[in-house]
Amino acid sequence: MSDKDTLSRLKEINSVYGMFHDFGGEWTDDTKFLFSAKDNLTSIGFETCAGSKILEGYRPVFDATAIAKMKAAGGKLVGKTNMDEFGFGTFSANSAFEVPKNPFDLDRSCGGSSGGSACAAAVLEDHVSLGVSTGGSVCCPASFCGTYGIVPTYGRVSRYGLIDYGNSLDKIGLLAMDPHKLSEYLPVISGRDPKDPTSCAQPDLKLEHRKMTSVAVPKEAVEGISDDVLRAFEDALERLKGMGIDVEYVDMPYLKYAMPAYYILATSEASTNLARYCGMRYGHQDGDLTLGFDEYFTSFRTEYFGDEAKRRILLGTYTRMEGFRDRYYAKALQVRLGVIDAYKTQFKDHDAVLTPTMPFVSPRFEDISAMSPVENYKADFLTVPPNLAGTPHLNCPCGYDGNGMPIGMQFVTDHWNEDQLLTMAEEWDKQFDVRHAEVKV
């Protein structure tokens, strides 16, 4: 297929699914594969907005390290995928631009905040997409769109070039329909990077194909999930037993504290990171310069930030205020250590902790609009704990509801044990018939 034909095809597909914020590029003879990247990863030749109007028009002059490494391996970046503004959301419905549509049902969400990346992985043939996870933003959309998605240990992949949501939580991962692509490209984007000190203390990624022999299923993880998800998950457990994997239900009550701790820490860091977008240096700079500082900043941020961004900035600013820091932020840090310990306890006797990925299948947009912010936040109660702990985790498609909507399960392993997840994905793919969405173009 020629460059012109490929771009024409991308335009046609994007007109239906809305997965790309910006796309294009020229193909050369040395192009080995095509990939896309979430719109909060800087890239030469593409507008990078992190889903926000405040960055509209920003065209970086450098590539994020993960994108640069994919290019160096022969990859061609074909587009930047739509997302929730700065990663704030579960359904990619908080985008200031186009909202991506689920390839299995155009009236439903792709999940978030890497919704466009999951859609691209599900719709484009032989494709891999870079996503970013803070509290579930890779596994959630992978589950809703029926793809594989892996989030490596915090620090495994350099965050240089990532427009931050939460510095201590953000992790760059991969989404693909073919699990072998995760094994092929995770080593490509991994490794130490002097531009990101948090990536410099990691052990080397080794693909030794170590199989899992036992998994722990928290009893708390199967409470409050839909009947369809529970049915698919229990069927998957039986299939795992047939693969020779021991399945044990365990108590992990401490995980219930992960959600409140996450939103305190994540919004606190987001509030700090987004303070730079005040109309003076970063983002749009077209405010009324006759105003005083406070008036200028307020009017500018009011116009260009979406409702969810404002909500998280206010919450994060509150928890960092003098008099509240010890009451909220410091305690949330203690809870984080408790969540890590809860996982470490299970990893003494089990290779992984296994849960459903999301408590329900992808909802319709009309249902999402009726949800309160708290209901939105609660949807992530299964994906938040491993993100808070910085442990690697993987979504595998494990079933479908009566309407054919995908359901996923989430494996969590100890830090730096991505090899077991990659092996699990490949072994599972041999046992489970993953359905591909019919491309409606």
Side-chain angles (χ1 to χ4, degrees), residues 148-153 156 179 182-183 186-187 204-216 240 243-246 343-344 346-354 391-396 409-429:
Y148 290 91
I150 189 167
V151 180
T153 305
R156 173 67 79 188
L182 304 184
S183 299
L186 183 60
D204 291 335
L205 175 62
K206 296 179 180 179
L207 300 185
E208 299 174 342
H209 298 288
R210 292 181 298 126
K211 294 185 178 181
M212 289 186 187
T213 59
S214 64
V215 295
L240 288 171
M243 295 167 60
I245 297 175
D246 292 330
Y343 276 115
K344 293 288 186 181
Q346 297 304 325
F347 294 146
K348 292 177 183 178
D349 301 313
H350 305 91
D351 293 321
V353 172
L354 176 62
T391 50
H393 46 288
L394 164 83
N395 175 77
C396 290
M409 60 180 175
Q410 178 180 255
F411 291 90
V412 183
T413 57
D414 202 357
H415 297 105
W416 314 115
N417 282 357
E418 291 88 352
D419 176 56
Q420 283 188 303
L421 294 177
L422 296 170
T423 303
M424 183 70 245
E426 294 180 12
E427 291 297 314
W428 178 257
D429 198 58

Side-chain angles (χ1 to χ4, degrees), residues 133-149:
S133 182
T134 307
S137 295
V138 166
C139 282
C140 164
S143 176
F144 282 173
C145 292
T147 74
Y148 290 91

